[in-house]
Amino acid sequence: MPIELFSIGGYEEAGRNMSAINVDGEIVILDMGWELGKFLLLPQNTDMHQLTTQELIEKDVFPNDEILLKYRSNVKAIILSHAHLDHISAVPRMAPPYLKAPIIGTPFTIEVLKSLIKDQVGRIPNKLIPLNPGSKYEISKNITLEFVYVTHSTLQC
């Protein structure tokens, strides 16, 4: 079973975290965050709500997911590792094109995400699935997600 890893963002800085794993043609995205430092470098009166997703990508605030465009229909889920903004804040703007992919995170992470969605765009078409640490979720016949407990600086990582 071939496995391919896409390192999209967050590997060269603290922010814009996003990866994807292709397992035999089925893809899961791991995180969709922003780079707060790059956003703070924008002109002082910049309103994030006035910028398009593409502009935020071009300004290096959001990760550039262009490498996944040709695989978009193969994305089976978006998995959020924890509630830090550098891991989830781009989800409201970047997840909708992955229309059929549910967003899976711990209950705390999903609640934080709901606040971001409400603030940024109002609503998104993706289904939100809370999954408790220690639980498993079958994404497809090839991919089962299991959240394991880890210690970090936010709840339910």
Side-chain angles (χ1 to χ4, degrees):
M1 175 179 317
I3 297 176
E4 183 178 14
L5 173 68
F6 298 91
S7 51
I8 299 166
Y11 290 85
E12 296 174 351
E13 71 276 310
R16 297 188 312 142
N17 291 292
M18 185 174 179
S19 301
I21 300 172
N22 181 346
V23 179
D24 201 22
E26 297 178 323
I27 296 175
V28 293
I29 293 174
L30 308 172
D31 295 328
M32 287 180 166
W34 75 338
E35 168 54 66
L36 177 61
K38 299 275 175 79
F39 178 72
L40 293 175
L41 291 175
L42 297 176
Q44 203 168 20
N45 61 350
T46 301
D47 180 359
M48 183 175 174
H49 298 87
Q50 301 300 317
L51 296 174
T52 67
T53 302
Q54 188 58 41
E55 288 172 322
L56 289 165
I57 290 170
E58 290 168 4
K59 295 177 185 305
D60 289 331
V61 175
F62 284 0
N64 185 346
D65 65 341
E66 183 178 341
I67 193 169
L68 294 179
L69 290 178
K70 65 182 177 181
Y71 302 106
R72 193 163 274 168
S73 63
N74 298 11
V75 174
K76 302 300 179 192
I78 298 166
I79 302 167
L80 305 178
S81 61
H82 62 288
H84 283 162
L85 296 180
D86 62 324
H87 290 263
I88 69 168
S89 61
V91 171
R93 305 277 289 275
M94 293 186 72
Y98 302 99
L99 183 57
K100 296 179 181 179
I103 299 167
I104 307 168
T106 63
F108 179 75
T109 300
I110 294 296
E111 289 303 314
V112 173
L113 178 61
K114 285 179 183 178
S115 294
L116 292 172
I117 292 167
K118 183 178 177 185
D119 178 56
Q120 288 186 32
V121 295
R123 57 187 300 243
I124 62 173
N126 308 72
K127 182 178 180 183
L128 303 179
I129 301 174
L131 183 66
N132 288 313
S135 299
K136 293 182 180 183
Y137 182 84
E138 187 174 305
I139 294 170
S140 72
K141 65 178 176 67
N142 293 320
I143 304 170
T144 299
L145 169 65
E146 180 179 5
F147 277 167
V148 295
Y149 291 97
V150 296
T151 301
H152 196 36
S153 59
T154 187
L155 299 173
Q156 297 180 341
C157 293

